[in-house]
Amino acid sequence: MRPKARRVGVTSKSVFYAIIVHVAAAVLLVLNIDWPTHVVSSPQSEPAPVQASVVSEAEIQKQMAAIEEKEQAEQRRQQEAQEKLEELLQQKEAEEQRLAEIKERQEQERREAEELAKRKEQEQQELARLQEEEERKRQEEEERRRQEEAERQRQEEAERKRQEEAERQRQAEEERKRREAEEQRQRELAAERERQQQLQQRLEQERLESLVQSALSQYIPIIKQKVGRNWNRPAGLRDNFEAHVNVRLSQTGEVISARIVRSSGNAVFDRSVENAVLKASPLPIPQEKGVNEKFRNLNLRFRPQDMIS
């Protein structure tokens, strides 16, 4: 349902200006009234003609016209907004109707597709039945001709068939054994390849672990030395503190973050270690593939006596 257009009533401003107009008109009537002839005017002075009222009335009329023009413009704007709203509502109704028609058309197409699939399935079943019937008739006819043509030689034909069947079974048995042997060989080859691959992976893993351990034992002291050279020992610090820091590095050794994962119990020492790690960036790390990745995330232990102040 379309919303009804809002009727614009008389505003308080228009009432106010209407009152002003009526008051001004009354003043004009009083000033311009013809007094009775028996009233004697003073000969010394005559009233000057009033002209200011005409100017005031024109100004009032001008202002009233401007106000009315604004009100009419406001009414036209509100009317255009109402018409735009009605147009949008009509478009919405049309879109909803179009969507409903699309949905109904899709549902009809779905039903038609289901019906078509059902008919196709029925046709396939009927075709299969006809083919089966045709095959049965063909076999019956072939059997009948074979019996008519081979009646005299039935015994010989039976013997020949028995020999052929025996040969077929023999060949089938040989083929079965050959396939089983081939399958067994393929399984053994696959198992051997898998063992070789696992062995290769284990050897590679052991080699990589050995390289990593060697690199750790080689680079960790160097890293800690560089951090120690950038460490400023806090005043009054004792040597019985120990802080564990998690250090995340880039591929080239740039320090991404340094975070205390096990505090020494002394916040000043903890912060001094974090700052030393950040100032020591970049840290020396190996670049060999497979080893470099192990140095991207290090957990390092720092004690005051291990660090160069």
Side-chain angles (χ1 to χ4, degrees), residues 238-297:
R238 299 191 304 273
D239 290 341
N240 59 345
F241 295 117
E242 181 177 287
H244 292 250
V245 184
N246 175 261
V247 182
R248 293 179 59 242
L249 303 174
S250 68
Q251 182 179 1
T252 58
E254 298 290 338
V255 177
I256 299 173
S257 66
R259 180 173 57 89
I260 296 293
V261 294
R262 183 187 296 176
S263 175
S264 65
N266 186 299
V268 175
F269 177 64
D270 291 347
R271 285 196 299 272
S272 70
V273 172
E274 288 181 344
N275 293 333
V277 172
L278 293 173
K279 288 171 62 177
S281 179
L283 296 177
I285 62 174
Q287 296 300 313
E288 183 177 356
K289 184 178 180 182
V291 180
N292 178 269
E293 288 79 357
K294 299 296 183 179
F295 281 76
R296 302 291 184 82
N297 194 329

